[in-house]
Each structure stands twice: as structure tokens, then as C-alpha cells.
Amino acid sequence: MQKFKYHTALNISNLNSQSEKSCEFFEYNGNVCFKKDILTGDLDDRFNVCDIFYSEPPWRYGYKIFEKRAGYNYKSDFRGFLKNIHKIIKAQNKPFFIVGGKQDYEIIFSDADFISNTEIAQHKTKCLCYIYNLNKEIFSKIDFSNNLTLIQSLAKNFHCIGDFCCGYGNTGIVFDSFKKNFVMSDADPKCIGYLQETLIDKKNA
């Protein structure tokens, strides 16, 4: 399996990128990546082309760490952050896969159509996937072994994925490997910079 960097709040240096490049927007083969804080409003219109959404938002432990990295000082607490994601989900009629922990997640996303066990492949952490607006036929085709097999399953069944907490963009990198499309955003411009280096700069080197 391809080795994926992972934007984690855990002290695991070999997973986090050492890139210091910042970027606020770039396009790649018809795909779009941009800096966007989802606490500042509704889902960006650039996500309208997506037929599936997947995201791995911060857990409670990492929320303030990611906030500091991105240079924000959020007025909202962690539960308010998750509530805003829930509001975004309920405003759409497209499938959403939200991967996270139990603390707070089980309360905010208790109305999910499906809840499945999975894990973060990069550091073997057990977690849950909260799924909305998905029919049973497609649900039965999803491999929940870990977050990467999950995204690969989505790439086999959908055409364009949206991820509004993309971190280092594994969602889009997997979809790109299947020659599918993606729209991704993150509050941290260094995550977008890492993606630009990974998808464009290194391939053109």
C-alpha cells in the first residue's frame, strides 16, 4: 500500500509533513484545493460538483492543536465545531462519511443513517464512521477495514469527492489514483501547500 502522510495532532513525527510551504488555492487536472475555514460559513459553492463527501475532522484532543497550527483563535468550542459540520450535512442531500471518535461525535452525529467501526490506517487508531444519505446497496460495498480502504471503496462507486477538513489530502490522492475527481479544503494553508507539492511540484520535478 502506498505510504501516506497524515496530518495528526499526535506526536508521531514520521506522519506529519515537514513542508513549510503555504498555499491558498491551486488547480490540478480539473480538481480544486483551497484554504477554507468551515466555521466561517456554509459549504463553499465549489463543492457543488461533488457526488460524495468524506472527511476526518479533528478529535477533541487535536482541535486546539490544529487551531494553533492554522493560526486561528476560534470562538467556537469543539462541540460547536462539530455542530457546524452537522449543519452542513443536514443542508445537503448527498452522501456524507464522517470519520472520528466517540467523544462528542456520538452525541452530535447520533442521527446518522449508519455508524460503522473503522480505524486510521496510518497510526492504527480505532474510530467510527458516521454515514448520512446513503442507500443500503452502496453501504454493503464499502470496505471499512480502515480509512484508506474506505476511501478506495468510495472511489469505485462515486465520481467526485469533497473533503472540507482535508489535512494532507489523502482523500483526493486516493481518488486521483482511480482517475476520479476531488474538491478539498482545509483551514491550514500549509496543508494546501503540502498538497500542491505532492500533486504538482514533485511530479513536475
Side-chain angles (χ1 to χ4, degrees), residues 12-150:
I12 309 175
S13 60
N14 65 314
L15 290 182
N16 277 314
S17 167
Q18 301 304 309
S19 172
E20 292 298 317
K21 179 176 182 176
S22 291
C23 176
E24 300 214 353
F25 174 87
F26 74 90
E27 293 180 294
Y28 166 79
N29 287 350
N31 304 299
V32 181
C33 297
F34 55 97
K35 175 190 170 187
K36 170 72 175 178
D37 178 5
I38 61 168
L39 277 174
T40 62
D42 297 328
L43 199 63
D44 192 279
D45 288 344
R46 284 172 281 201
F47 285 105
N48 289 345
V49 298
C50 300
D51 61 345
I52 179 70
F53 287 87
Y54 174 94
S55 202
E56 299 170 14
W59 296 15
R60 174 175 285 277
Y61 167 79
Y63 181 66
K64 290 296 182 182
I65 295 173
F66 289 128
E67 174 189 289
K68 184 177 180 180
R69 286 183 192 169
Y72 288 96
N73 184 15
Y74 290 133
K75 295 180 181 179
S76 175
D77 61 10
F78 178 65
R79 189 168 289 189
F81 170 75
L82 293 183
K83 285 180 177 178
N84 196 64
I85 293 175
H86 186 264
K87 176 184 173 183
I88 289 172
I89 293 170
K90 301 305 282 187
Q92 302 286 323
N93 60 3
K94 297 176 181 179
F96 273 79
F97 287 69
I98 303 296
V99 172
K102 290 185 177 182
Q103 189 179 31
D104 298 306
Y105 275 80
E106 282 191 321
I107 297 172
I108 305 301
F109 303 114
S110 62
D111 60 347
D113 297 315
F114 303 99
I115 300 176
S116 182
N117 292 304
T118 187
E119 74 171 23
I120 303 300
Q122 293 88 343
H123 51 66
K124 308 300 181 185
T125 300
K126 301 295 183 183
C127 54
L128 295 171
C129 182
Y130 303 85
I131 304 143
Y132 290 83
N133 305 324
L134 189 75
N135 63 53
K136 290 182 179 179
E137 180 183 358
I138 299 297
F139 177 79
S140 67
K141 297 178 181 179
I142 306 301
D143 182 353
F144 289 97
S145 299
N146 59 59
N147 57 329
L148 296 180
T149 62
L150 200 169

Side-chain angles (χ1 to χ4, degrees), residues 4 6 52-56 97 99 118 120 122 129 142-158 161 163 166 169-178 180 184:
F4 291 88
Y6 191 75
I52 179 70
F53 287 87
Y54 174 94
S55 202
E56 299 170 14
F97 287 69
V99 172
T118 187
I120 303 300
Q122 293 88 343
C129 182
I142 306 301
D143 182 353
F144 289 97
S145 299
N146 59 59
N147 57 329
L148 296 180
T149 62
L150 200 169
I151 299 168
Q152 288 164 358
S153 295
L154 297 180
K156 295 174 183 177
N157 290 280
F158 295 93
I161 198 162
D163 187 344
C166 72
N170 292 327
T171 306
I173 292 171
V174 170
F175 259 61
D176 183 57
S177 72
F178 280 81
K180 300 292 184 74
M184 296 192 294

